[in-house]
Amino acid sequence: MKTESSSSSSSVVEFLEKVPLLHRLTSSSLKKIAQVLVFKRYERGDYVVGRDEEEMEGVYFVLEGQAQVLGPVGEENCSEFFLKPFDYFGRGIFGNVYAVDVVAVSQLTCLLLTCDHCHLLETKPICDLDNQRSLLERILYMDPLDLNVFRGFTLPNAPALGKVFGGQFVAQGLAAASKTVEFMKLVHSLHAYFLLSGDTNIPIIYEVSRLRDGNNFATRRVDARQKGKIIFTLFASFQREQQGFDHQESNMPHMLPPETLVSRDEMLQRRMTDHLIPRYYRNKVATQYTAPLPIDIRFCEPNYSTEERKSPSRLKYWFKARGELSDDQALHRCVVAFASDLMYAFISSDPHLKKGMSAVPVSLDHSMWFHRPLRADDWLLFVMVNLTASQSRGLATGEMFNRKGERKECMVNGTVQLVVSLKQEALLKENVTSNPILDSKL
């Protein structure tokens, strides 16, 4: 048996991203693991692990060749099976050690993560998350329960109106799906269906189905459950970066820079004390406004929805995540998915508003296409248009552009990049009671 240190090459990271045990980890964690792995090489017949050893050296990942695992002597129904590339054995994330022999049945190469580095396999429970992380990162945290099962939470200061916010469903579902896909594949499209309202007081269980794993594409389905019922479903497709044609026809409209505009939270706070605004509207804002959103929003039309009146079926605003995010592109796309549902449905009902009318649109389905890399902690312009409303439903389209004047790599033939396209259908109904039933969407 030969031992040599491992390098932190991209090929090792690409191997690790295909190991099922590691799908729950972020790309930065995989890179840290790659830097401390040790190569172990065995000839046919060599013992990799013996049951008489007091303690295994750590976790072994099979890189090349095959090994055979033999159960304890005398055990009934003793299982004998082969380990192939991407399989693993040894001291796991829960510290368990199996009394077995592992024997090389061919020339075998393993990558060993020694016990003193096994903490890199751990994921923090929700209660132990670093409070210095942004609120969005804490909302998007997925607690792994099994290989394809995750648990999400609605934090006390997360956006909610008596039910789980739709953008939270989309972002957490996408985060769960992303944890089952090799990190070099990024989401390029998603389609989500909101089935039932979510209870903010209990966790959400996200079950991921691996529909396809190809060389360049992967497809996932995510079912969110509460109280034994599926309340949300998401389909997402992921793609490895590939070179190809590059052009766009959509152009970003000319808008004032976000630094010159008032934030949404400051605008609402002003409205609560502005005596030029009708009292009923000031009271409505005061009762509905809670904590600032984890997304900073700057409306391009500052008079948008100043009163309860008919508004154009178009809306433009700048937005970005509060706080600085890591460089993980998957995280940035989850954050954009979260932000995409904040006001999208309202532009379908705004043209029909009138004094005294109470209408809260409800998202029915939501689709997104990610065209190019983006940063959710830098300003993005969201341009949305309501196409039509009929049969108590409204259909809206949207486009997101990166900020004008950014680096050259953020331009397409001298034009600001279109980074995301969206479509959403919403249920439009006027509330007839002061306490609407939230158990069902329909």
Side-chain angles (χ1 to χ4, degrees), residues 123-307:
T123 55
K124 294 181 180 180
I126 191 73
C127 57
D128 293 336
L129 282 175
D130 185 356
N131 287 329
Q132 298 303 313
R133 290 189 184 183
S134 69
L135 173 58
L136 271 170
E137 287 183 278
R138 287 184 281 132
I139 291 173
L140 292 173
Y141 175 79
M142 291 283 99
D143 188 16
L145 302 181
D146 203 343
L147 187 62
N148 300 310
V149 183
F150 303 87
R151 179 170 55 189
F153 300 83
T154 303
L155 301 184
N157 47 354
L161 289 173
K163 57 184 177 180
V164 177
F165 165 54
Q168 177 181 318
F169 274 132
V170 178
Q172 288 185 337
L174 178 57
S178 299
K179 289 183 177 296
T180 70
V181 177
E182 47 192 286
F183 78 88
M184 295 187 71
K185 292 176 182 173
L186 294 170
V187 62
H188 70 88
S189 69
L190 66 82
H191 305 275
Y193 295 89
F194 305 90
L195 307 178
L196 297 171
S197 296
D199 188 337
T200 60
N201 297 314
I202 60 177
I204 308 167
I205 303 301
Y206 293 90
E207 300 178 1
V208 182
S209 299
R210 302 170 185 246
L211 303 183
R212 179 186 182 224
D213 280 298
N215 291 330
N216 294 312
F217 287 87
T219 308
R220 297 292 186 265
R221 169 178 170 161
V222 183
D223 292 325
R225 296 178 182 271
Q226 279 186 333
K227 302 176 182 178
K229 296 181 179 179
I230 297 178
I231 58 177
F232 169 82
T233 294
L234 175 142
F235 292 87
S237 181
F238 299 78
Q239 181 188 19
R240 187 185 296 271
E241 182 179 359
Q242 294 176 282
Q243 298 299 317
F245 302 115
D246 195 0
H247 81 280
Q248 71 181 51
E249 295 297 326
S250 295
N251 294 319
M252 185 180 79
H254 177 71
M255 292 291 143
L256 292 173
E259 292 84 359
T260 65
L261 303 175
V262 177
S263 71
R264 169 189 174 273
D265 295 304
E266 184 179 353
M267 180 183 69
L268 291 176
Q269 290 170 356
R270 289 181 183 180
R271 289 180 182 178
M272 285 186 272
T273 58
D274 188 347
H275 294 288
L276 296 178
I277 296 177
R279 179 184 298 174
Y280 68 84
Y281 183 75
R282 283 189 278 128
N283 291 338
K284 178 182 177 181
V285 173
T287 56
Q288 291 184 350
Y289 181 78
T290 54
L293 294 173
I295 302 291
D296 189 354
I297 292 177
R298 308 287 176 96
F299 291 109
C300 297
E301 295 90 2
N303 292 325
Y304 172 74
S305 293
T306 302
E307 301 178 27

Side-chain angles (χ1 to χ4, degrees), residues 58-86:
V59 179
Y60 297 77
F61 303 100
V62 180
L63 179 65
E64 295 176 342
Q66 287 188 335
Q68 188 175 16
V69 178
L70 305 176
V73 174
E75 180 180 288
E76 294 184 4
N77 300 319
C78 176
S79 60
E80 296 186 0
F81 56 94
F82 290 94
L83 296 172
K84 303 185 292 292
F86 310 117

Side-chain angles (χ1 to χ4, degrees), residues 134-137 140 171 174 187 258 293-298 317-340 342 368 370 372-382 400-403 406-407 410 417 419-420:
S134 69
L135 173 58
L136 271 170
E137 287 183 278
L140 292 173
L174 178 57
V187 62
L293 294 173
I295 302 291
D296 189 354
I297 292 177
R298 308 287 176 96
Y317 63 77
W318 295 96
F319 77 93
K320 70 172 182 175
R322 296 187 187 275
E324 186 176 351
L325 303 176
S326 70
D327 292 331
D328 187 354
Q329 182 61 201
L331 170 64
H332 287 267
R333 298 190 183 199
C334 288
V335 170
V336 168
F338 178 92
S340 66
L342 283 170
M368 302 180 69
F370 296 84
R372 297 173 177 89
L374 52 83
R375 287 201 68 94
D377 54 0
D378 199 358
W379 291 108
L380 298 170
L381 180 67
F382 194 175
M400 293 181 182
F401 298 88
N402 58 16
R403 190 175 183 185
E406 281 189 302
R407 303 176 300 276
C410 294
Q417 286 184 346
V419 291
V420 183

